[in-house]
Amino acid sequence: DAAGNKSLLKALKAKGGKSKALGRQAVAAILNAANPGVNYTYTIAEVLQIVQGAYTSYDFRTAKNTLEAANKGCPLN
């Protein structure tokens, strides 16, 4: 599958770094942002902007680290 054709579950199960690591954090971020019981740092639109920016710049690490830091505060862990 191309990166744009993955399901959320496939992205969560993907092993590896760079875009795959970003994919795992992005799925968690989207789920956190969509949950009304979670006071999440970013909106869904902001998460998508972060991910799109990573693909534009090929800077997957910064985006992954940004979302990973926000995901660590999730009360659903």
Side-chain angles (χ1 to χ4, degrees), residues 31-56:
L31 294 174
N32 288 332
N35 188 321
V38 176
N39 184 19
Y40 194 62
T41 306
Y42 303 106
T43 66
I44 293 172
E46 290 170 329
V47 171
L48 295 175
Q49 282 182 316
I50 291 167
V51 173
Q52 288 170 344
Y55 276 89
T56 299

Side-chain angles (χ1 to χ4, degrees), residues 1-2 15 20-22 24 29 31 35 38 44 55 70-71:
D1 285 335
K15 304 273 191 238
K20 292 177 182 173
L22 172 58
R24 292 189 298 272
L31 294 174
N35 188 321
V38 176
I44 293 172
Y55 276 89
N71 290 336

Side-chain angles (χ1 to χ4, degrees):
D1 285 335
N5 293 328
K6 290 192 176 194
S7 70
L8 295 178
L9 184 57
K10 284 182 182 179
L12 282 174
K13 290 182 175 182
K15 304 273 191 238
K18 298 184 182 180
S19 65
K20 292 177 182 173
L22 172 58
R24 292 189 298 272
Q25 293 301 323
V27 169
I30 288 170
L31 294 174
N32 288 332
N35 188 321
V38 176
N39 184 19
Y40 194 62
T41 306
Y42 303 106
T43 66
I44 293 172
E46 290 170 329
V47 171
L48 295 175
Q49 282 182 316
I50 291 167
V51 173
Q52 288 170 344
Y55 276 89
T56 299
S57 67
Y58 296 101
D59 184 6
F60 301 109
R61 181 180 293 177
T62 299
K64 188 269 300 178
N65 290 344
T66 297
L67 295 176
E68 184 175 37
N71 290 336
K72 285 186 179 179
C74 177
L76 302 177
N77 286 341

